[in-house]
Amino acid sequence: MARYEKTITVVHCAKLNRELEALPRRPFPGPLGERIYNEISGQAWDMWQQQSTILINHYGLNLADPRSNDFLFEQMDEFFFGAGAQMPEDWTPPTAAPRKK
């Protein structure tokens, strides 16, 4: 069995306001993708994935429509970098979803 070393890149996450593991690559090309790559952690990106699913379902967005994509990019920018986007200082991520009884 071979042993591998993996270097972990850390970023000071603008969303979670702490040092966390960085994204492995840019999520998409362009200035916003570059900014997210440099300033957002993988954990915050996972939070955005959940939020974007909620937005897509709530608004019935068609991702083939450029207007829907523009809307999602605006929401993404606000989610990560907008006023009040930073999580409270004492926030900790939930460990698991609550179980139904």
Side-chain angles (χ1 to χ4, degrees), residues 12 15 17 21-22 29 37 54 58 61 63 68 72-73 75 85 89 93-95 98 101:
H12 184 84
K15 176 74 176 173
N17 195 27
E21 189 172 340
Y37 177 70
I54 291 168
H58 178 76
L61 299 177
L63 298 181
S68 293
L72 276 178
F73 277 95
Q75 295 300 307
E89 192 171 311
T95 54
K101 292 182 179 180

CSV table of all heavy atoms in Angstrom, one decimal, residues 12 15 17 21-22 29 37 54 58 61 63 68 72-73 75 85 89 93-95 98 101:
chain,number,residue,atom,x,y,z
A,12,HIS,N,-8.4,32.5,4.4
A,12,HIS,CA,-9.2,33.1,5.4
A,12,HIS,C,-10.6,33.4,4.7
A,12,HIS,O,-10.7,34.3,3.9
A,12,HIS,CB,-8.6,34.4,5.9
A,12,HIS,CG,-9.4,35.1,7.0
A,12,HIS,ND1,-9.3,34.7,8.3
A,12,HIS,CD2,-10.4,36.0,7.0
A,12,HIS,CE1,-10.2,35.4,9.0
A,12,HIS,NE2,-10.9,36.1,8.2
A,15,LYS,N,-16.7,34.6,4.2
A,15,LYS,CA,-18.1,34.2,4.7
A,15,LYS,C,-18.1,33.8,6.2
A,15,LYS,O,-18.9,34.2,7.0
A,15,LYS,CB,-18.7,33.1,3.8
A,15,LYS,CG,-20.0,32.6,4.2
A,15,LYS,CD,-21.1,33.6,3.9
A,15,LYS,CE,-22.5,33.1,4.3
A,15,LYS,NZ,-23.5,34.1,4.1
A,17,ASN,N,-15.4,33.9,8.3
A,17,ASN,CA,-14.4,34.7,9.1
A,17,ASN,C,-13.5,33.8,9.9
A,17,ASN,O,-13.3,34.1,11.1
A,17,ASN,CB,-15.2,35.7,9.9
A,17,ASN,CG,-14.2,36.7,10.5
A,17,ASN,OD1,-13.2,37.1,9.9
A,17,ASN,ND2,-14.6,37.3,11.6
A,21,GLU,N,-10.1,25.2,5.0
A,21,GLU,CA,-9.6,24.6,3.8
A,21,GLU,C,-10.1,25.3,2.5
A,21,GLU,O,-11.3,25.6,2.4
A,21,GLU,CB,-9.9,23.1,3.7
A,21,GLU,CG,-9.2,22.4,2.6
A,21,GLU,CD,-9.4,20.9,2.7
A,21,GLU,OE1,-9.7,20.4,3.8
A,21,GLU,OE2,-9.3,20.3,1.6
A,22,ALA,N,-9.3,25.7,1.6
A,22,ALA,CA,-9.7,26.4,0.4
A,22,ALA,C,-10.3,25.5,-0.6
A,22,ALA,O,-10.2,24.2,-0.5
A,22,ALA,CB,-8.4,27.1,-0.2
A,29,PRO,N,-15.0,30.3,-14.4
A,29,PRO,CA,-14.1,31.4,-14.9
A,29,PRO,C,-14.6,32.8,-14.6
A,29,PRO,O,-15.8,32.9,-14.3
A,29,PRO,CB,-14.0,31.2,-16.4
A,29,PRO,CG,-15.2,30.3,-16.7
A,29,PRO,CD,-15.6,29.6,-15.5
A,37,TYR,N,-12.5,31.8,-5.3
A,37,TYR,CA,-11.4,30.9,-5.2
A,37,TYR,C,-10.4,31.4,-4.2
A,37,TYR,O,-9.8,30.7,-3.3
A,37,TYR,CB,-10.7,30.7,-6.5
A,37,TYR,CG,-9.5,29.8,-6.5
A,37,TYR,CD1,-9.6,28.5,-6.2
A,37,TYR,CD2,-8.2,30.4,-6.7
A,37,TYR,CE1,-8.4,27.7,-6.2
A,37,TYR,CE2,-7.1,29.6,-6.7
A,37,TYR,CZ,-7.2,28.2,-6.4
A,37,TYR,OH,-6.1,27.5,-6.4
A,54,ILE,N,-32.0,25.8,-3.0
A,54,ILE,CA,-33.2,26.4,-2.5
A,54,ILE,C,-33.8,27.5,-3.4
A,54,ILE,O,-35.0,27.5,-3.7
A,54,ILE,CB,-33.0,27.0,-1.1
A,54,ILE,CG1,-32.7,25.8,-0.1
A,54,ILE,CG2,-34.2,27.8,-0.6
A,54,ILE,CD1,-32.2,26.3,1.3
A,58,HIS,N,-37.2,27.3,-5.3
A,58,HIS,CA,-38.2,28.3,-4.9
A,58,HIS,C,-38.7,29.2,-6.1
A,58,HIS,O,-39.9,29.4,-6.2
A,58,HIS,CB,-37.6,29.2,-3.8
A,58,HIS,CG,-38.6,30.3,-3.3
A,58,HIS,ND1,-39.7,30.0,-2.5
A,58,HIS,CD2,-38.7,31.6,-3.6
A,58,HIS,CE1,-40.3,31.1,-2.3
A,58,HIS,NE2,-39.7,32.1,-2.9
A,61,LEU,N,-36.2,28.3,-11.3
A,61,LEU,CA,-35.3,28.8,-12.3
A,61,LEU,C,-35.0,27.8,-13.3
A,61,LEU,O,-34.8,26.6,-13.0
A,61,LEU,CB,-34.0,29.3,-11.6
A,61,LEU,CG,-34.2,30.4,-10.5
A,61,LEU,CD1,-32.8,30.7,-9.9
A,61,LEU,CD2,-34.7,31.7,-11.2
A,63,LEU,N,-32.0,26.9,-15.7
A,63,LEU,CA,-30.6,27.3,-15.8
A,63,LEU,C,-30.1,27.4,-17.2
A,63,LEU,O,-29.0,27.8,-17.4
A,63,LEU,CB,-29.8,26.2,-15.0
A,63,LEU,CG,-30.1,26.2,-13.5
A,63,LEU,CD1,-29.2,25.1,-12.8
A,63,LEU,CD2,-29.9,27.5,-12.9
A,68,SER,N,-31.8,33.6,-15.5
A,68,SER,CA,-31.7,32.8,-14.3
A,68,SER,C,-30.3,32.7,-13.8
A,68,SER,O,-30.0,32.9,-12.6
A,68,SER,CB,-32.2,31.4,-14.6
A,68,SER,OG,-33.6,31.5,-14.8
A,72,LEU,N,-28.7,34.1,-10.3
A,72,LEU,CA,-27.9,33.2,-9.3
A,72,LEU,C,-26.6,33.8,-9.0
A,72,LEU,O,-26.1,33.8,-7.9
A,72,LEU,CB,-27.8,31.8,-9.9
A,72,LEU,CG,-28.9,30.9,-9.6
A,72,LEU,CD1,-28.7,29.5,-10.3
A,72,LEU,CD2,-29.2,30.7,-8.1
A,73,PHE,N,-25.9,34.4,-10.0
A,73,PHE,CA,-24.6,35.1,-9.8
A,73,PHE,C,-24.8,36.3,-8.9
A,73,PHE,O,-23.9,36.5,-8.0
A,73,PHE,CB,-24.0,35.5,-11.1
A,73,PHE,CG,-23.2,34.3,-11.8
A,73,PHE,CD1,-23.8,33.6,-12.7
A,73,PHE,CD2,-21.9,34.0,-11.4
A,73,PHE,CE1,-23.2,32.5,-13.3
A,73,PHE,CE2,-21.2,33.0,-12.0
A,73,PHE,CZ,-21.9,32.2,-13.0
A,75,GLN,N,-27.1,36.6,-6.6
A,75,GLN,CA,-27.4,36.0,-5.2
A,75,GLN,C,-26.1,35.5,-4.6
A,75,GLN,O,-25.9,35.6,-3.4
A,75,GLN,CB,-28.4,35.0,-5.3
A,75,GLN,CG,-29.8,35.5,-5.7
A,75,GLN,CD,-30.3,36.6,-4.8
A,75,GLN,OE1,-30.4,36.3,-3.6
A,75,GLN,NE2,-30.7,37.7,-5.3
A,85,ALA,N,-23.2,39.4,5.1
A,85,ALA,CA,-23.0,38.1,4.6
A,85,ALA,C,-22.2,37.2,5.5
A,85,ALA,O,-22.3,36.0,5.5
A,85,ALA,CB,-22.3,38.1,3.2
A,89,GLU,N,-19.9,35.5,14.8
A,89,GLU,CA,-18.6,35.1,15.2
A,89,GLU,C,-18.7,33.7,16.0
A,89,GLU,O,-17.8,32.9,15.9
A,89,GLU,CB,-18.0,36.1,16.2
A,89,GLU,CG,-16.6,35.9,16.5
A,89,GLU,CD,-15.9,37.0,17.2
A,89,GLU,OE1,-16.1,38.2,16.7
A,89,GLU,OE2,-15.3,36.8,18.2
A,93,PRO,N,-20.9,25.2,12.4
A,93,PRO,CA,-21.8,24.5,11.4
A,93,PRO,C,-22.5,23.3,12.1
A,93,PRO,O,-22.0,22.7,13.0
A,93,PRO,CB,-20.8,24.0,10.4
A,93,PRO,CG,-19.5,24.0,11.1
A,93,PRO,CD,-19.5,25.0,12.1
A,94,PRO,N,-23.7,23.1,11.7
A,94,PRO,CA,-24.5,21.9,12.2
A,94,PRO,C,-23.8,20.6,11.9
A,94,PRO,O,-23.2,20.5,10.8
A,94,PRO,CB,-25.8,22.0,11.6
A,94,PRO,CG,-25.7,22.8,10.4
A,94,PRO,CD,-24.5,23.7,10.6
A,95,THR,N,-23.8,19.7,12.8
A,95,THR,CA,-23.1,18.4,12.5
A,95,THR,C,-24.0,17.5,11.7
A,95,THR,O,-23.5,16.7,10.9
A,95,THR,CB,-22.7,17.7,13.9
A,95,THR,OG1,-23.9,17.6,14.7
A,95,THR,CG2,-21.7,18.5,14.6
A,98,PRO,N,-31.5,17.5,11.7
A,98,PRO,CA,-32.3,16.9,12.8
A,98,PRO,C,-33.1,15.7,12.2
A,98,PRO,O,-33.5,15.7,11.1
A,98,PRO,CB,-33.2,18.0,13.2
A,98,PRO,CG,-33.0,19.1,12.3
A,98,PRO,CD,-31.9,18.8,11.4
A,101,LYS,N,-39.1,12.3,13.8
A,101,LYS,CA,-39.6,11.3,14.9
A,101,LYS,C,-40.6,10.4,14.3
A,101,LYS,O,-41.3,10.7,13.4
A,101,LYS,CB,-40.1,12.0,16.1
A,101,LYS,CG,-39.0,12.8,16.8
A,101,LYS,CD,-39.6,13.4,18.0
A,101,LYS,CE,-38.5,14.1,18.8
A,101,LYS,NZ,-38.9,14.8,20.0
